[in-house]
Amino acid sequence: MIKAAIMGYGTVGSGVYEVIRTNQKEIDKKVGQELQIKYVLDLREFPGDPVMEVLTHDFEDIINDDEVRIVAEVMGGLHPAYEFTRRCLEAGKSVCTSNKELVAEHGAELIQIAKDHQVNYLFEASVGGGIPIIRPLNSSLTADVILEISGILNGTTNYMLTKMADEGLDYADVLKEAQAKGYAELHPEADVEGWDACRKIAILTSLASGNQVDFGQIYTEGITKITKEDFLYAKKMKCAIKLLASSKKVGDTYCAMVSPVLISRDNPLYMVNDVFNAVKVEGNMLGASMFYGSGAGKLPTASAVAGDMVDAARHLGKIITLFWSPEKLTLAPMEESSKRFFVRMKSAEAAKACFGDVELWDAGVQGEIGAVTPVMSEAEFAKKARDAQIISMIRVED
Ligand code: HSE
């Protein structure tokens, strides 16, 4: 029998407990012996919940129990998750997590500590919820040079943008709905300002490059400025507006960014709606491949954490190699990346005077016109836009 603990009995933690209890027989078969949850750590009480049998309020119970070989860290946030994770790894316990904040900030360091102690630090659930993407990048696609990773990595904002597109609703109304459904993070800024997607693309870029990517270097723009009117244009253009996180290989490094984009029907990400996530990976040999599924939510995320626990149980005493060194990767400046830009301006003349040969779109919004610029660099666009009266701008993903 292998004993395990779960730190945190919130949405994901209670999901992990449920997944393991529900699928206990199958899981035990796959592990080759029983995987038993000995402790669940949380400061709260849960009267009437079967978890009470294994609930502890004291982390020391877990750390001092040599029988516990695997710990799920599903507390979220940096502290005390970081300290608890370190101590577990140093005590010879493998840790499986959904905590993208912690993985993005300390991933390389925690992987190294795990290695030094012959245990594993696994984080499939930190990106794309239930979608397997970390494991494929780390094992199936290792013969490829990853040329591009782009995806819809935040379920909350995708749900909101889908609602705005389908129902013509305002941003503020859809945010309230997303919060009521329990999709949005504790502080909605993490979702709507793009920070959550930023950490996730930082993790994927670290795995693609093998070096630590500092998420603070990634240009990040959220969806807070997207309006109903933007969707009128999108509809006219037969495009969707999505919050895209992307990372493209440039020489020896990558150029990563997070921003809303207009994407056409030809792009497979066009039909990724609601709370679903998708990650498109392009390898130099593989070509394109897409991973799609439930990017957020209790059971999909918990399923990924529990899957890592099974993997950790199957590899007790053996290290699952992860290609992610602490050496920092300097990202390519996003100002040098090129694309088309959609702008809303007062008149066609103004758009032409500013950006030259533009493609014009009239969505029936009074006193303005939409225009798509020719391909230009971010720096060039910023220079031309400096003195122009632009109502709003959305990048175009070709
Ligand atoms: N708030 C996140 C999302 C949860 O909406 O995608 C999953 O990481």
Side-chain angles (χ1 to χ4, degrees):
M1 184 189 296
I2 298 174
K3 305 219 174 169
I6 301 172
M7 300 195 294
Y9 198 63
T11 309
V12 181
S14 58
V16 174
Y17 192 57
E18 186 178 331
V19 168
I20 293 178
R21 280 172 67 96
T22 308
N23 292 344
Q24 186 79 60
K25 265 199 200 140
E26 280 303 309
I27 286 174
D28 294 350
K29 247 194 262 169
K30 285 169 189 162
V31 171
Q33 53 186 310
E34 190 185 339
L35 179 69
Q36 192 199 71
I37 303 296
K38 187 166 181 186
Y39 301 102
V40 171
L41 174 71
D42 203 289
L43 293 175
R44 298 163 294 179
E45 297 289 338
F46 301 92
D49 188 316
V51 78
M52 289 306 287
E53 285 169 28
V54 290
L55 188 74
T56 175
H57 302 307
D58 190 356
F59 171 68
E60 300 303 320
D61 285 345
I62 296 173
I63 202 77
N64 293 325
D65 189 334
D66 290 340
E67 274 192 343
V68 174
R69 310 287 304 274
I70 298 163
V71 179
E73 183 275 294
V74 280
M75 313 164 69
L78 285 181
H79 304 287
Y82 171 69
E83 291 75 12
F84 285 5
T85 300
R86 263 197 87 123
R87 286 189 62 198
C88 285
L89 296 171
E90 284 163 358
K93 303 176 196 302
S94 287
V95 176
C96 308
T97 190
S98 58
N99 189 337
K100 58 242 152 172
E101 234 182 311
L102 186 59
V103 176
E105 180 98 32
H106 293 290
E109 177 196 346
L110 293 169
I111 290 166
Q112 189 57 49
I113 296 172
K115 219 176 184 177
D116 293 344
H117 293 83
Q118 287 288 309
V119 290
N120 289 296
Y121 183 56
L122 303 175
F123 43 89
E124 182 60 69
S126 65
V127 180
I131 308 172
I133 180 63
I134 303 292
R135 203 166 276 109
L137 272 181
N138 192 49
S139 57
S140 322
L141 305 179
T142 43
D144 268 61
V145 172
I146 305 298
L147 302 176
E148 181 176 339
I149 301 178
S150 51
I152 295 170
L153 298 180
N154 183 268
T156 305
T157 46
N158 205 42
Y159 171 83
M160 291 172 65
L161 292 172
T162 306
K163 277 254 151 194
M164 286 177 86
D166 290 351
E167 297 172 29
L169 293 174
D170 267 323
Y171 169 83
D173 294 328
V174 294
L175 174 60
K176 269 187 225 138
E177 246 189 90
Q179 282 173 317
K181 291 216 169 211
Y183 293 149
E185 295 280 306
L186 193 59
H187 306 292
E189 302 80 42
D191 293 307
V192 297
E193 299 288 0
W195 306 336
D196 175 76
C198 167
R199 278 158 180 80
K200 290 169 177 169
I201 196 70
I203 294 171
L204 296 180
T205 309
S206 295
L207 285 170
S209 68
N211 291 115
Q212 175 73 25
V213 169
D214 175 3
F215 60 82
Q217 265 192 56
I218 299 178
Y219 174 81
T220 301
E221 187 182 309
I223 64 160
T224 54
K225 294 193 192 102
I226 301 291
T227 62
K228 301 202 264 209
E229 288 73 24
D230 292 326
F231 280 98
L232 295 177
Y233 286 99
K235 233 166 233 165
K236 198 95 196 171
M237 296 162 75
K238 298 193 170 40
C239 285
I241 301 175
K242 298 287 178 194
L243 182 66
L244 190 80
S246 67
S247 190
K248 296 179 187 171
K249 189 150 176 37
V250 181
D252 289 338
T253 184
Y254 286 82
C255 177
M257 68 187 289
V258 175
S259 81
V261 294
L262 278 156
I263 55 175
S264 73
R265 285 181 181 173
D266 308 333
N267 191 317
L269 296 172
Y270 174 91
M271 32 65 73
V272 178
N273 286 321
D274 297 312
V275 79
F276 286 95
N277 280 193
V279 191
K280 211 162 52 132
V281 180
E282 201 186 319
N284 66 340
M285 298 292 138
L286 165 84
S289 161
M290 188 155 113
F291 301 81
Y292 170 85
S294 301
K298 174 175 167 163
L299 291 177
T301 310
S303 154
V305 176
D308 274 350
M309 292 171 80
V310 170
D311 221 14
R314 282 166 154 181
H315 289 87
L316 286 182
K318 280 179 257 157
I319 293 164
I320 301 167
T321 311
L322 284 162
F323 182 54
W324 183 347
S325 92
E327 203 180 310
K328 286 243 158 57
L329 184 76
T330 304
L331 293 174
M334 77 80 130
E335 291 77 10
E336 287 171 17
S337 69
S338 289
K339 54 191 70 78
R340 296 185 297 148
F341 297 81
F342 166 75
V343 286
R344 284 167 52 201
M345 295 183 69
K346 286 260 180 300
S347 67
E349 291 65 38
K352 281 182 195 157
C354 203
F355 297 107
D357 193 13
V358 292
E359 186 188 328
L360 294 169
W361 292 93
D362 184 352
V365 184
Q366 261 209 329
E368 62 171 78
I369 193 88
V372 176
T373 70
V375 174
M376 61 182 74
S377 71
E378 290 272 354
E380 205 181 330
F381 175 81
K383 198 169 154 204
K384 287 182 195 286
R386 202 169 297 144
D387 300 318
Q389 291 197 323
I390 293 175
I391 300 165
S392 72
M393 178 278 278
I394 304 177
R395 293 172 176 83
V396 178
E397 177 71 12
D398 284 313

